[in-house]
mmCIF file of all heavy atoms in Angstrom:
data_model
loop_
_atom_site.group_PDB
_atom_site.id
_atom_site.type_symbol
_atom_site.label_atom_id
_atom_site.label_comp_id
_atom_site.label_asym_id
_atom_site.label_seq_id
_atom_site.Cartn_x
_atom_site.Cartn_y
_atom_site.Cartn_z
ATOM 1 N N ASP N 1 17.616 -0.549 -3.857
ATOM 2 C CA ASP N 1 17.667 -1.965 -4.199
ATOM 3 C C ASP N 1 16.249 -2.476 -4.415
ATOM 4 O O ASP N 1 15.481 -2.628 -3.460
ATOM 5 C CB ASP N 1 18.344 -2.746 -3.073
ATOM 6 C CG ASP N 1 18.427 -4.235 -3.357
ATOM 7 O OD1 ASP N 1 18.028 -4.654 -4.457
ATOM 8 O OD2 ASP N 1 18.889 -4.972 -2.467
ATOM 9 N N PRO N 2 15.849 -2.778 -5.658
ATOM 10 C CA PRO N 2 14.477 -3.240 -5.896
ATOM 11 C C PRO N 2 14.189 -4.604 -5.295
ATOM 12 O O PRO N 2 13.014 -4.970 -5.108
ATOM 13 C CB PRO N 2 14.385 -3.274 -7.425
ATOM 14 C CG PRO N 2 15.790 -3.419 -7.893
ATOM 15 C CD PRO N 2 16.639 -2.687 -6.898
ATOM 16 N N ASP N 3 15.242 -5.373 -4.968
ATOM 17 C CA ASP N 3 15.045 -6.701 -4.383
ATOM 18 C C ASP N 3 14.953 -6.672 -2.862
ATOM 19 O O ASP N 3 14.836 -7.724 -2.233
ATOM 20 C CB ASP N 3 16.190 -7.628 -4.803
ATOM 21 C CG ASP N 3 16.220 -7.867 -6.296
ATOM 22 O OD1 ASP N 3 15.142 -7.896 -6.913
ATOM 23 O OD2 ASP N 3 17.330 -7.996 -6.859
ATOM 24 N N SER N 4 15.002 -5.465 -2.295
ATOM 25 C CA SER N 4 14.979 -5.353 -0.834
ATOM 26 C C SER N 4 13.571 -5.230 -0.272
ATOM 27 O O SER N 4 13.402 -5.015 0.927
ATOM 28 C CB SER N 4 15.804 -4.138 -0.395
ATOM 29 O OG SER N 4 15.221 -2.926 -0.877
ATOM 30 N N GLU N 5 12.554 -5.376 -1.097
ATOM 31 C CA GLU N 5 11.181 -5.145 -0.654
ATOM 32 C C GLU N 5 10.779 -6.087 0.480
ATOM 33 O O GLU N 5 11.024 -7.293 0.434
ATOM 34 C CB GLU N 5 10.192 -5.310 -1.805
ATOM 35 C CG GLU N 5 8.753 -5.059 -1.381
ATOM 36 C CD GLU N 5 7.762 -5.108 -2.532
ATOM 37 O OE1 GLU N 5 8.142 -5.599 -3.620
ATOM 38 O OE2 GLU N 5 6.624 -4.662 -2.351
ATOM 39 N N ARG N 6 10.158 -5.511 1.496
ATOM 40 C CA ARG N 6 9.558 -6.263 2.594
ATOM 41 C C ARG N 6 8.136 -5.733 2.764
ATOM 42 O O ARG N 6 7.928 -4.597 3.178
ATOM 43 C CB ARG N 6 10.361 -6.081 3.882
ATOM 44 C CG ARG N 6 9.836 -6.920 5.051
ATOM 45 C CD ARG N 6 10.806 -6.862 6.236
ATOM 46 N NE ARG N 6 10.827 -5.556 6.868
ATOM 47 C CZ ARG N 6 10.084 -5.213 7.935
ATOM 48 N NH1 ARG N 6 9.258 -6.105 8.471
ATOM 49 N NH2 ARG N 6 10.186 -4.015 8.466
ATOM 50 N N VAL N 7 7.144 -6.540 2.409
ATOM 51 C CA VAL N 7 5.744 -6.114 2.473
ATOM 52 C C VAL N 7 5.298 -6.018 3.926
ATOM 53 O O VAL N 7 5.453 -6.965 4.703
ATOM 54 C CB VAL N 7 4.840 -7.087 1.698
ATOM 55 C CG1 VAL N 7 3.374 -6.703 1.865
ATOM 56 C CG2 VAL N 7 5.218 -7.096 0.214
ATOM 57 N N LEU N 8 4.726 -4.878 4.285
ATOM 58 C CA LEU N 8 4.239 -4.655 5.647
ATOM 59 C C LEU N 8 2.722 -4.806 5.757
ATOM 60 O O LEU N 8 2.219 -5.472 6.649
ATOM 61 C CB LEU N 8 4.641 -3.257 6.125
ATOM 62 C CG LEU N 8 6.135 -2.942 6.205
ATOM 63 C CD1 LEU N 8 6.337 -1.530 6.712
ATOM 64 C CD2 LEU N 8 6.847 -3.940 7.105
ATOM 65 N N MET N 9 1.995 -4.143 4.858
ATOM 66 C CA MET N 9 0.537 -4.138 4.947
ATOM 67 C C MET N 9 -0.055 -4.373 3.562
ATOM 68 O O MET N 9 0.494 -3.905 2.557
ATOM 69 C CB MET N 9 0.012 -2.798 5.505
ATOM 70 C CG MET N 9 0.588 -2.397 6.840
ATOM 71 S SD MET N 9 -0.133 -0.839 7.472
ATOM 72 C CE MET N 9 -1.714 -1.431 8.101
ATOM 73 N N GLU N 10 -1.195 -5.070 3.527
ATOM 74 C CA GLU N 10 -1.958 -5.243 2.309
ATOM 75 C C GLU N 10 -3.425 -4.935 2.599
ATOM 76 O O GLU N 10 -3.985 -5.424 3.582
ATOM 77 C CB GLU N 10 -1.826 -6.666 1.760
ATOM 78 C CG GLU N 10 -0.439 -6.991 1.228
ATOM 79 C CD GLU N 10 -0.395 -8.355 0.555
ATOM 80 O OE1 GLU N 10 -1.308 -9.176 0.821
ATOM 81 O OE2 GLU N 10 0.532 -8.597 -0.235
ATOM 82 N N PHE N 11 -4.015 -4.113 1.744
ATOM 83 C CA PHE N 11 -5.419 -3.739 1.872
ATOM 84 C C PHE N 11 -6.151 -4.255 0.637
ATOM 85 O O PHE N 11 -5.906 -3.773 -0.473
ATOM 86 C CB PHE N 11 -5.587 -2.216 1.958
ATOM 87 C CG PHE N 11 -4.816 -1.554 3.073
ATOM 88 C CD1 PHE N 11 -3.465 -1.264 2.937
ATOM 89 C CD2 PHE N 11 -5.451 -1.206 4.255
ATOM 90 C CE1 PHE N 11 -2.760 -0.641 3.950
ATOM 91 C CE2 PHE N 11 -4.752 -0.585 5.278
ATOM 92 C CZ PHE N 11 -3.401 -0.306 5.132
ATOM 93 N N GLN N 12 -7.016 -5.224 0.808
ATOM 94 C CA GLN N 12 -7.804 -5.720 -0.312
ATOM 95 C C GLN N 12 -8.870 -4.679 -0.672
ATOM 96 O O GLN N 12 -9.643 -4.245 0.172
ATOM 97 C CB GLN N 12 -8.460 -7.056 0.051
ATOM 98 C CG GLN N 12 -7.489 -8.158 0.420
ATOM 99 C CD GLN N 12 -6.653 -8.612 -0.770
ATOM 100 O OE1 GLN N 12 -7.012 -8.392 -1.930
ATOM 101 N NE2 GLN N 12 -5.529 -9.267 -0.488
ATOM 102 N N LYS N 13 -8.892 -4.300 -1.957
ATOM 103 C CA LYS N 13 -9.774 -3.205 -2.387
ATOM 104 C C LYS N 13 -10.861 -3.708 -3.329
ATOM 105 O O LYS N 13 -10.581 -4.261 -4.387
ATOM 106 C CB LYS N 13 -8.955 -2.112 -3.087
ATOM 107 C CG LYS N 13 -8.003 -1.351 -2.191
ATOM 108 C CD LYS N 13 -8.728 -0.601 -1.085
ATOM 109 C CE LYS N 13 -9.723 0.407 -1.626
ATOM 110 N NZ LYS N 13 -9.141 1.465 -2.437
ATOM 111 N N PRO N 14 -12.126 -3.486 -2.978
ATOM 112 C CA PRO N 14 -13.215 -3.934 -3.852
ATOM 113 C C PRO N 14 -13.358 -3.110 -5.126
ATOM 114 O O PRO N 14 -13.703 -3.642 -6.175
ATOM 115 C CB PRO N 14 -14.454 -3.799 -2.963
ATOM 116 C CG PRO N 14 -14.072 -2.805 -1.912
ATOM 117 C CD PRO N 14 -12.603 -2.973 -1.688
ATOM 118 N N GLN N 15 -13.120 -1.777 -5.039
ATOM 119 C CA GLN N 15 -13.205 -0.916 -6.216
ATOM 120 C C GLN N 15 -11.841 -0.255 -6.486
ATOM 121 O O GLN N 15 -10.957 -0.260 -5.637
ATOM 122 C CB GLN N 15 -14.280 0.160 -6.034
ATOM 123 C CG GLN N 15 -15.709 -0.370 -6.203
ATOM 124 C CD GLN N 15 -16.255 -0.967 -4.920
ATOM 125 O OE1 GLN N 15 -16.059 -0.430 -3.835
ATOM 126 N NE2 GLN N 15 -16.955 -2.083 -5.035
ATOM 127 N N TYR N 16 -11.726 0.342 -7.665
ATOM 128 C CA TYR N 16 -10.421 0.860 -8.075
ATOM 129 C C TYR N 16 -10.058 2.180 -7.410
ATOM 130 O O TYR N 16 -8.888 2.571 -7.406
ATOM 131 C CB TYR N 16 -10.387 1.059 -9.597
ATOM 132 C CG TYR N 16 -11.044 2.343 -10.064
ATOM 133 C CD1 TYR N 16 -10.282 3.479 -10.352
ATOM 134 C CD2 TYR N 16 -12.425 2.449 -10.187
ATOM 135 C CE1 TYR N 16 -10.877 4.657 -10.756
ATOM 136 C CE2 TYR N 16 -13.016 3.611 -10.591
ATOM 137 C CZ TYR N 16 -12.245 4.717 -10.882
ATOM 138 O OH TYR N 16 -12.839 5.892 -11.270
ATOM 139 N N ASN N 17 -11.024 2.890 -6.843
ATOM 140 C CA ASN N 17 -10.758 4.245 -6.355
ATOM 141 C C ASN N 17 -10.744 4.298 -4.826
ATOM 142 O O ASN N 17 -10.852 3.282 -4.151
ATOM 143 C CB ASN N 17 -11.768 5.242 -6.934
ATOM 144 C CG ASN N 17 -13.210 4.853 -6.635
ATOM 145 O OD1 ASN N 17 -13.495 3.761 -6.171
ATOM 146 N ND2 ASN N 17 -14.120 5.760 -6.904
ATOM 147 N N HIS N 18 -10.548 5.512 -4.293
ATOM 148 C CA HIS N 18 -10.439 5.755 -2.845
ATOM 149 C C HIS N 18 -9.260 4.974 -2.271
ATOM 150 O O HIS N 18 -9.400 4.242 -1.289
ATOM 151 C CB HIS N 18 -11.732 5.394 -2.108
ATOM 152 C CG HIS N 18 -12.918 6.183 -2.545
ATOM 153 N ND1 HIS N 18 -14.125 6.126 -1.905
ATOM 154 C CD2 HIS N 18 -13.094 7.055 -3.568
ATOM 155 C CE1 HIS N 18 -14.990 6.919 -2.516
ATOM 156 N NE2 HIS N 18 -14.370 7.496 -3.531
ATOM 157 N N ASP N 19 -8.108 5.154 -2.861
ATOM 158 C CA ASP N 19 -6.909 4.414 -2.459
ATOM 159 C C ASP N 19 -6.011 5.192 -1.513
ATOM 160 O O ASP N 19 -4.959 4.689 -1.113
ATOM 161 C CB ASP N 19 -6.106 4.035 -3.710
ATOM 162 C CG ASP N 19 -6.914 3.183 -4.665
ATOM 163 O OD1 ASP N 19 -7.643 2.292 -4.195
ATOM 164 O OD2 ASP N 19 -6.840 3.420 -5.889
ATOM 165 N N ALA N 20 -6.403 6.441 -1.147
ATOM 166 C CA ALA N 20 -5.545 7.328 -0.354
ATOM 167 C C ALA N 20 -4.235 7.562 -1.096
ATOM 168 O O ALA N 20 -4.155 7.358 -2.301
ATOM 169 C CB ALA N 20 -5.337 6.785 1.053
ATOM 170 N N GLY N 21 -3.185 7.999 -0.391
ATOM 171 C CA GLY N 21 -1.942 8.328 -1.074
ATOM 172 C C GLY N 21 -0.749 8.343 -0.152
ATOM 173 O O GLY N 21 -0.306 7.289 0.321
ATOM 174 N N PRO N 22 -0.202 9.538 0.131
ATOM 175 C CA PRO N 22 0.997 9.626 0.964
ATOM 176 C C PRO N 22 0.799 9.088 2.372
ATOM 177 O O PRO N 22 -0.322 8.980 2.878
ATOM 178 C CB PRO N 22 1.278 11.138 0.988
ATOM 179 C CG PRO N 22 0.654 11.665 -0.253
ATOM 180 C CD PRO N 22 -0.579 10.839 -0.452
ATOM 181 N N MET N 23 1.939 8.745 2.987
ATOM 182 C CA MET N 23 2.007 8.350 4.397
ATOM 183 C C MET N 23 2.842 9.415 5.116
ATOM 184 O O MET N 23 3.366 10.331 4.492
ATOM 185 C CB MET N 23 2.656 6.978 4.527
ATOM 186 C CG MET N 23 2.000 5.903 3.678
ATOM 187 S SD MET N 23 3.043 4.423 3.500
ATOM 188 C CE MET N 23 4.364 5.044 2.446
ATOM 189 N N ALA N 24 2.994 9.275 6.435
ATOM 190 C CA ALA N 24 3.805 10.244 7.182
ATOM 191 C C ALA N 24 4.338 9.622 8.459
ATOM 192 O O ALA N 24 3.611 8.893 9.156
ATOM 193 C CB ALA N 24 2.979 11.488 7.523
ATOM 194 N N PHE N 25 5.605 9.895 8.762
ATOM 195 C CA PHE N 25 6.146 9.574 10.078
ATOM 196 C C PHE N 25 5.798 10.702 11.031
ATOM 197 O O PHE N 25 5.958 11.892 10.712
ATOM 198 C CB PHE N 25 7.663 9.398 10.020
ATOM 199 C CG PHE N 25 8.093 8.001 9.682
ATOM 200 C CD1 PHE N 25 8.499 7.689 8.398
ATOM 201 C CD2 PHE N 25 8.078 6.995 10.641
ATOM 202 C CE1 PHE N 25 8.889 6.408 8.073
ATOM 203 C CE2 PHE N 25 8.465 5.704 10.323
ATOM 204 C CZ PHE N 25 8.870 5.402 9.031
ATOM 205 N N GLY N 26 5.309 10.325 12.208
ATOM 206 C CA GLY N 26 4.999 11.318 13.213
ATOM 207 C C GLY N 26 6.201 11.650 14.069
ATOM 208 O O GLY N 26 7.239 10.982 14.008
#
């Protein structure tokens, strides 16, 4: 459901790169 989005975290980025990638549940 594309309308089910709930934003958890936002990281303001000064440059376009070094954005990391995947996450993981421990």
Side-chain angles (χ1 to χ4, degrees):
D1 180 4
D3 296 327
S4 64
E5 181 175 14
R6 184 171 70 94
V7 175
L8 299 181
M9 305 183 78
E10 291 186 341
F11 304 81
Q12 300 292 340
K13 292 298 301 298
Q15 284 85 41
Y16 81 98
N17 56 349
H18 299 188
D19 301 319
M23 306 164 290
F25 272 101

